[in-house]
Each structure stands twice: as structure tokens, then as C-alpha cells.
Amino acid sequence: MTSQVSDAHPVLSAPAVAGITRLSAADTVRARLELAMELDLMSGGERLPAESDIAEALDVSVATVRRALQTMADEGLVVRRRGRAGGTFVARSGAQVAPGGDRPSATFRADAAEVHRLIDLRALAEDALSAAAAQAATDEQLNTLDTIVAEAASSADWTGFHSADQRFHESVAAASGLAWANNTYCDVLHRLYRYYIPYPISYLHESNREHAQLVEALRRRDSRAAAEIARNHVLSLHKTMYVGLPQPTTGTG
């Protein structure tokens, strides 16, 4: 039975070991920041969030973030300044940081098929869980979702938004009342979040508007609308996540 399903639906097949599992924690941080620079999601001169905020968003230690940023500074990708106006700033972006085969970001690029697989699995799960949440969510749970949407809307950068985004989707899943499916979904969600890279806050705020639309559908008890909003929200990642963006092809970095 399992073999037949896997053959008919490759997206459900067990994945090979993802390349990023072979990266050190510091190189994983580097890969995420480098990709954002390569794809012009970060601009030259842009100030990075505090090390502690990056560490929390990427689920690593502050020491790990510090090591990653220092190696990037050594290569001239970022500039680190001391003092009241100090911090870590993007030194190069776009064509100035063209992808290289020896960069940690190349490992993320090589995992594109796994990222697309996880997006599809997440879309299937969110479709079903959101439909169930439209019938099962309590007023308290819906109010919590409204609070998280407001928090995401007020986020000043990608680190704060990422935390709110994760809590939003986990809370929708919990509101479904389907504990057996919730655990599986959260596993897929966290696997996909390992490939999360920084995005401009303007783009993230636009994504949050879809969160608000989903909550409205849940309040109306409209299972069909909730499922459609959630499914399309996730499937759009095929085009908007780094695997779907135009890739730099020139330069040597």
C-alpha cells in the first residue's frame, strides 16, 4: 500500500538526506543570509537585526550567529561596526554576491527539490487543517490568531515576523482539533522553516494580509474558503520562496 502511494505521488516519497543536514550550524546561518544577499532581498548598507534576534529567528545560539557573521565579515560580505551607531551591515548584494559552488548557500540551492516537496506536503496539510479549524476553533483561539496577526503587522524586520508567522500557523493547526494530524503537520512546517531566508518586511507584511483573510474565513465558519486561502498561501511559496525566484547567473562572488 505504502509503496503504491509513493509511486503514484512522488511528493509523498521519503526524502533523501537533505544537504543542509550536513552543514554546520554557523554555515546554515551563513547560507540563509548569503542567499538573501545574492537574490537582492537585502540591500547594500542595510543593517542586520541584532545577533540575539537572528539567533531566535533561526533557532541557533547567539555564539553561532556571531561566528557566521565574523566569517562573512572576513570575506567582505558584511561590515561590522562598533559604537552607538554600530552593528552589522550588508556590504554587498545582488550581482556583487553571485553564487559560488563553494558557498554554504549552494547547499540550499541543491536542496530545491526537497523544498518543493515540503511545500506541497504543507499545502495538503494546511488545506485540511484550516477546513477543520473553521468548524472547531473556539472564540478564544480565534482571538489569539487576531493578536498574532496584529503582532506580525507591527514587526519591524524579518526576525520578529518569522516568530509570529510560526505561531500563527501552529495555532491554526491546533485550532483544528485534529491532534493526530497536527503533529505531522508541525514536523513538515519545521522542516520547511529550516530553509527560511530573510525577506523584506514589506513583502512579509503583504503575506500577513492573507493570514488576516484566513482568520476572517474561520470566523465565518467557512471551511471551503479557509481551505482555499490556506492552500494558496502555501502553494505560492513555489514562486516566492528562494527556489522560485530568478537566480543570479553571472559573476564569481
Side-chain angles (χ1 to χ4, degrees):
M1 174 75 74
T2 301
S3 176
Q4 291 175 346
V5 170
S6 296
D7 291 342
H9 302 283
V11 71
L12 300 180
S13 301
V17 176
I20 60 169
T21 62
R22 297 190 291 272
L23 288 178
S24 69
D27 277 345
T28 297
V29 173
R30 278 198 53 162
R32 291 165 150 180
L33 297 177
E34 285 177 4
L35 270 174
M37 294 175 188
E38 292 168 10
L39 296 171
D40 255 342
L41 299 174
M42 287 183 174
S43 304
E46 179 178 337
R47 183 175 183 170
L48 296 183
E51 291 177 353
S52 57
D53 291 337
I54 295 175
E56 182 177 1
L58 301 185
D59 195 25
V60 295
S61 69
V62 173
T64 294
V65 172
R66 192 167 294 137
R67 285 196 303 273
L69 293 178
Q70 187 56 56
T71 60
M72 294 177 74
D74 292 341
E75 294 183 19
L77 297 175
V78 299
V79 175
R80 311 195 79 186
R81 300 176 186 146
R82 297 182 180 276
R84 172 177 285 182
T88 303
F89 300 82
V90 176
R92 291 185 278 164
S93 61
Q96 295 177 312
V97 197
D102 58 344
R103 289 189 183 281
S105 57
T107 303
F108 266 56
R109 295 180 188 279
D111 277 359
E114 169 65 359
V115 174
H116 285 299
R117 187 189 77 91
L118 289 170
I119 291 171
D120 283 339
L121 284 175
R122 180 181 165 190
L124 287 171
E126 291 215 18
D127 182 315
L129 290 169
S130 296
Q135 302 304 314
T138 65
D139 287 341
E140 181 179 2
Q141 288 172 322
L142 293 171
N143 290 338
T144 295
L145 290 172
D146 279 332
T147 299
I148 297 173
V149 168
E151 180 182 330
S154 65
S155 297
D157 60 47
W158 59 271
T159 58
F161 184 90
H162 182 54
S163 173
D165 182 76
Q166 179 172 329
R167 284 187 287 111
F168 178 83
H169 290 288
E170 289 176 343
S171 296
V172 172
S176 73
L178 303 176
W180 61 272
N182 188 8
N183 291 336
T184 300
Y185 164 73
C186 285
D187 179 64
V188 171
L189 179 68
H190 294 163
R191 287 175 183 268
L192 186 57
Y193 273 149
R194 293 177 66 187
Y195 292 94
Y196 178 87
I197 68 173
Y199 276 75
I201 193 62
S202 58
Y203 163 78
L204 297 175
H205 284 164
E206 186 65 32
S207 173
N208 191 49
R209 292 189 180 93
E210 295 177 0
H211 292 172
Q213 292 170 5
L214 176 55
V215 178
E216 290 174 4
L218 296 178
R219 285 195 179 279
R220 296 195 308 269
R221 305 299 177 184
D222 189 338
S223 293
R224 179 175 295 182
E228 182 176 1
I229 292 168
R231 180 177 65 253
N232 290 337
H233 177 75
V234 176
L235 288 178
S236 68
L237 294 175
H238 283 302
K239 295 181 179 179
T240 60
M241 202 169 171
Y242 76 87
V243 290
L245 298 177
Q247 304 296 311
T249 58
T250 60
T252 59

